[in-house]
Amino acid sequence: MIAIDFKNITCSYENKTALDSISLSIPAGQVIGLVGRNGAGKTTLIRSAMGMLRPQSGTISILGLDPVKDSVLVKQRVGYVSEEQILPPFLKVLDVMNLHKSLYPMTWDDHLARKLSSQFNLPTDQKIKTLSKGQARQVALVCAVSHRPELLILDEPAGGLDPSARREFLETSIAFLNESGSTILFSSHHMTDVERMSNRIILLHKGKKLLDRDMDDLKEENTLVIIPEIEGIDRSSIKDLPQCLSVRKRGDLYHSVFHLPVEETRQCVEDKFSLRGLQAKSMGLEELFIEVTGGQS
Amino acid sequence: MMILVDPNNGIPVYRQLMDQIKFFVSSGVLKPGDPLPSTRSLSSQLGVNPMTISKAYSFLEREQVLERRPGRPLVVKNVDPKELETRKMEQLNESLKHPVRVVKQLNIDIKQAAQAFEDLLKPSGEPHDRN
């Protein structure tokens, strides 16, 4: 089954295009990390998927349903947490959970809610306002997953949390994944979290999909190579090489990313420019992100 | 089992898991018949997606390092001594690739490089030639 299906989605605010004919198809069971610079269109994509925005053109299907027309049905089957989400400060944790339980009478799983709460030591008899930011976000997550959604959508769920709170949040998400195996789409600026959680990466840049790849392929088949700026070598001669994804000038060196394994990249560039001993290496996601979306200098 | 992963590393997490488990098997830390942690428990212990663990486990099964029997935990597969030697040499060759590249880039004489390697292999603290 296809959990999320976008066909040619274009969405603009006033004169600014936030999403520029985006198509993507996410089969059930995948965990997708949605990454991109601020303003790349991540939140617009997520809000469109949740039916909170209606794109100017294109069609969206969530679990086979229209998120705007069938919004109630979709919300029954989707869990959602965002950075801005606010829980009622004067309610106790348990009351907030009971409130959610009443919204999902058919599907709420008390056992799961209790299990996750105790696993992560959430003080269920305390008021929300006494909790730390990290704990409050975890309560939101427990509420979002305890009706056992088929699809979980997280918009910068760990935004503003300290590293330990972020890790605890991640562990709760993984505990849920272990319980249910459902589809997850989450956006984040924390590349190590994305690397731990997801098996597919979608990188948005200026409203377009710049990369959409299996996480392991991304690491095994992308290489950064450093090329000196000497006679006969310039941006366009590098950019014209097969499988070149990006070229970035740093001082008198070019940083270039190729969609090839390390040794092949080194070979290809050395042969082309008759050079020897070039530095070439595989990259973590953070480095790749910076290389392909970062500015020039 | 002391497995550590570094998600920020350019090596995919499932590869890191495979390499470490293979190393434990070759070095005898894990013995034939020893059970592996369940996908779930290793996933929560390491804080990585359970699918990554399953991927590593199924590749290791395919490579005959692990063995799955119905209704039992995944265990280390029995291996004949000759095959074990082959695996050890493969692992050694793989990890020597980097030093070999350094030797070539620094343009060091092969004999000197081999001597350096041999010297490093001598147990430390052992007196060298008495004369």
Side-chain angles (χ1 to χ4, degrees), chain B residues 116-130:
Chain B
F117 186 54
E118 208 170 294
D119 289 348
L120 285 169
L121 281 171
K122 284 181 188 149
S124 54
E126 185 174 279
H128 288 269
D129 203 1
R130 297 252 165 119

Side-chain angles (χ1 to χ4, degrees), chain A residues 102-113:
Chain A
S102 68
L103 294 174
Y104 304 101
M106 308 295 283
T107 48
W108 186 265
D109 183 344
D110 246 338
H111 176 72
L112 177 61

Side-chain angles (χ1 to χ4, degrees), chain A:
Chain A
M1 198 189 67
I2 302 297
I4 301 181
D5 194 34
F6 275 50
K7 285 202 174 74
N8 290 315
I9 293 301
T10 295
C11 200
S12 17
Y13 305 103
E14 290 159 15
N15 287 327
K16 195 179 170 290
T17 307
L19 294 178
D20 190 354
S21 56
I22 295 279
S23 293
L24 51 91
S25 172
I26 298 174
Q30 286 195 340
V31 181
I32 312 287
L34 182 63
V35 303
R37 299 189 68 162
N38 293 323
K42 302 184 295 297
T43 296
T44 306
L45 189 148
I46 282 177
R47 292 198 173 150
S48 314
M50 290 300 295
M52 295 149 85
L53 279 176
R54 195 199 280 270
Q56 277 81 0
S57 63
T59 52
I60 299 179
S61 154
I62 301 297
L63 305 167
L65 300 165
D66 180 322
V68 177
K69 272 193 230 142
D70 309 315
S71 88
V72 176
L73 273 176
V74 168
K75 287 193 173 74
Q76 289 287 336
R77 294 167 60 186
V78 177
Y80 174 68
V81 179
S82 80
E83 189 182 353
E84 289 121 45
Q85 205 159 357
I86 296 163
L87 298 170
F90 295 100
L91 286 186
K92 287 181 181 167
V93 172
L94 196 61
D95 297 333
V96 173
M97 289 187 182
N98 284 330
L99 191 69
H100 277 82
K101 183 179 173 177
S102 68
L103 294 174
Y104 304 101
M106 308 295 283
T107 48
W108 186 265
D109 183 344
D110 246 338
H111 176 72
L112 177 61
R114 274 200 298 267
K115 187 176 167 183
L116 292 175
S117 309
S118 75
Q119 199 172 339
F120 296 97
N121 296 317
L122 295 179
T124 48
D125 54 349
Q126 281 184 31
K127 287 183 178 166
I128 295 291
K129 64 170 179 149
T130 67
L131 304 187
S132 70
K133 210 169 172 178
Q135 283 177 318
R137 207 68 63 76
Q138 278 196 319
V139 171
L141 181 63
V142 171
C143 290
V145 301
S146 293
H147 65 95
R148 293 200 167 268
E150 292 155 68
L151 169 64
L152 179 62
I153 296 185
L154 308 170
D155 189 6
E156 292 273 351
L161 302 188
D162 68 60
S164 303
R166 244 176 55 217
R167 176 57 66 85
E168 280 158 13
F169 186 92
L170 182 92
E171 283 172 356
T172 315
S173 313
I174 285 172
F176 168 67
L177 201 54
N178 270 315
E179 285 286 333
S180 75
S182 78
T183 314
I184 302 182
L185 171 69
F186 77 110
S187 70
S188 178
H189 285 309
H190 294 284
M191 298 301 137
T192 41
D193 289 0
V194 175
E195 288 175 303
R196 285 175 178 279
M197 269 292 278
S198 51
N199 50 13
R200 176 171 156 196
I201 299 290
I202 295 178
L203 170 61
L204 290 181
H205 192 53
K206 297 178 179 165
K208 288 189 193 299
K209 216 166 63 167
L210 195 60
L211 281 174
D212 181 353
R213 295 287 307 279
D214 176 271
M215 172 70 119
D216 298 325
D217 289 354
L218 200 68
K219 288 190 169 181
E220 284 173 334
E221 291 170 21
N222 282 293
T223 303
L224 173 67
V225 58
I226 314 290
I227 307 169
E229 186 190 32
I230 52 175
E231 213 187 317
I233 299 178
D234 61 12
R235 181 188 304 282
S236 62
S237 60
I238 300 170
K239 189 78 198 162
D240 287 345
L241 293 178
Q243 306 296 332
C244 175
L245 281 184
S246 69
V247 184
R248 211 159 71 99
K249 190 148 186 257
R250 309 291 296 162
D252 52 4
L253 296 171
Y254 290 106
H255 283 205
S256 183
V257 176
F258 283 76
H259 179 45
L260 289 172
V262 173
E263 287 310 322
E264 279 154 62
T265 303
R266 195 201 316 272
Q267 204 68 52
C268 158
V269 178
E270 290 188 353
D271 289 354
K272 166 76 186 174
F273 297 123
S274 316
L275 293 167
R276 271 185 60 93
L278 289 185
Q279 294 275 7
K281 64 179 193 97
S282 62
M283 289 163 288
L285 192 57
E286 178 142 335
E287 227 179 330
L288 179 69
F289 180 100
I290 293 167
E291 289 299 338
V292 301
T293 70
Q296 310 292 335
S297 73

Side-chain angles (χ1 to χ4, degrees), chain B residues 19-73:
Chain B
D19 290 347
Q20 289 180 54
I21 292 170
K22 279 199 219 168
F23 193 81
F24 287 141
V25 173
S26 300
S27 60
V29 172
L30 282 175
K31 297 192 170 55
D34 281 354
L36 275 290
S38 71
T39 302
R40 274 178 179 218
S41 74
L42 195 54
S43 153
S44 30
Q45 184 197 320
L46 299 173
V48 298
N49 186 322
M51 283 177 272
T52 306
I53 314 282
S54 327
K55 185 171 178 179
Y57 278 178
S58 57
F59 274 109
L60 288 169
E61 245 184 289
R62 209 195 289 170
E63 291 187 15
Q64 310 282 316
V65 176
L66 303 179
E67 178 176 35
R68 198 182 300 273
R69 282 167 303 180
R72 305 267 313 272

